[in-house]
Amino acid sequence: DGVQVHESEFLQSHAVVVQGRDGVLLIDPGVQDQELACLADDLARAGRTVVAGFATHPDWDHLLWHARFGTPPRYGTARCAAAVRAELADPRALAHITEHLLETEIAGQVSLDQYGRLTALPDGAAQIPWAGPTVRLIEHQAHAPGHAALLIEDHRVLVAGDMLSDVLIPMLDLNGTDDPIEDYLTALRLLEEVAAGVEVVVPGHGSVGGAAELTGRIEQDRAYVLALRSGEVPDDPRIGPSARPGWEWVNDVHQGQVHRLAARS
């Protein structure tokens, strides 16, 4: 009650709506144009106005927006917003995303006209400034610069961004950090510290889970990252022959990480 999830067909992506006093906080809206329009229709029927937005991290599918959501502040951490500014300084940035989308089944179905218009929160900000339940920021550097999980304290919901998925393995930031494995392990420790106060976890992609799933996913992700660090083959159902049908490509992501980590060392 007070927190709703809208799931996209693309990679089981989740947009999260949090009810506030004067309107809603919209987290990571996506992905296809018709899905954003559907979300706008749902909000209009419920008489809800978007009063704030938030992007958990600077990946393209978390930086989308629809004109019908209006022009409220769309927040990101200071590092996240800086990464988006740096990306958009390249005049071909949106063209590069469009080219990438041509390789997917949603080519031509994603609008980028309001892409990445973020308002940076102060460095070290502890929560989102809005008239609603306390939404605490848990910032870390796993996966992407300025990535933030969100703890909606009153509702005991953890919005994890691109972590704690049951279908995606931990995807390390292999470009912007000196020690991506330790950064990931640090992020998992931060999430573990708040796990006792969480009843529902919403990953950026995958299935919404309860408290038991949260604990299990933290352990599973930690085991995967530790296996990468030691050079072992992870015993992980998200890769290899046990991967979920339609998600076999996750093994390619895994192999790419193995090769890049080997090259770094």
Side-chain angles (χ1 to χ4, degrees):
D1 185 31
V3 181
Q4 296 173 295
V5 174
H6 189 278
E7 184 175 284
S8 169
E9 295 176 350
F10 180 72
L11 298 184
Q12 283 187 257
S13 303
H14 290 137
V16 180
V17 175
V18 186
Q19 180 65 47
R21 185 175 65 244
D22 304 318
V24 303
L25 167 67
L26 182 54
I27 305 167
D28 289 348
V31 170
Q32 300 175 72
D33 291 343
Q34 71 267 24
E35 292 169 330
L36 293 174
C38 174
L39 179 53
D41 288 340
D42 289 347
L43 292 171
R45 278 193 294 268
R48 297 178 179 178
T49 301
V50 180
V51 296
F54 189 83
T56 56
H57 63 286
D59 283 352
W60 71 265
D61 53 325
H62 296 259
L63 297 170
L64 304 173
W65 201 252
H66 194 286
R68 289 177 58 198
F69 299 148
T71 57
R74 295 163 54 188
Y75 296 114
T77 66
R79 286 188 178 185
C80 173
V84 176
R85 286 196 303 273
E87 176 191 21
L88 293 177
D90 178 356
R92 281 193 46 79
L94 299 185
H96 292 321
I97 296 171
T98 300
E99 291 166 6
H100 166 69
L101 288 171
L102 290 174
E103 303 172 4
T104 74
E105 70 275 14
I106 60 172
Q109 301 176 53
V110 177
S111 174
L112 301 175
D113 60 338
Q114 299 196 52
Y115 176 86
R117 299 179 184 179
L118 296 188
T119 297
L121 290 172
D123 194 24
Q127 62 188 56
I128 295 178
W130 79 302
T134 299
V135 180
R136 177 179 160 196
L137 274 68
I138 305 171
E139 184 177 352
H140 55 77
Q141 304 311 314
H143 182 65
H147 193 302
L150 301 178
L151 178 60
I152 308 167
E153 294 184 334
D154 293 349
H155 298 291
R156 299 171 67 86
V157 174
L158 179 66
V159 180
D162 276 4
M163 296 184 69
L164 306 182
S165 173
D166 60 329
V167 289
L168 293 177
I169 54 174
M171 292 181 289
L172 280 59
D173 182 1
L174 296 171
N175 296 316
T177 177
D178 293 332
D179 194 344
I181 286 181
E182 186 54 40
D183 285 343
Y184 215 100
L185 293 173
T186 297
L188 291 173
R189 287 193 291 270
L190 291 173
L191 299 179
E192 192 170 43
E193 288 174 2
V194 303
V198 173
E199 294 181 356
V200 177
V201 58
V202 183
H205 308 278
S207 304
V208 174
E213 285 86 357
L214 169 59
T215 302
R217 291 179 193 184
I218 290 173
E219 291 302 320
Q220 185 177 55
D221 284 356
R222 180 181 288 118
Y224 174 86
V225 175
L226 290 174
L228 286 185
R229 185 169 70 180
S230 63
E232 300 174 356
V233 177
D235 180 16
D236 195 304
R238 295 169 293 188
I239 57 177
S242 59
R244 185 178 299 182
W247 294 82
E248 294 86 355
W249 56 270
V250 175
N251 191 62
D252 295 334
V253 176
H254 163 64
Q255 295 297 335
Q257 293 193 135
V258 170
H259 292 317
R260 292 188 63 187
L261 287 168
R264 287 170 66 105
S265 63

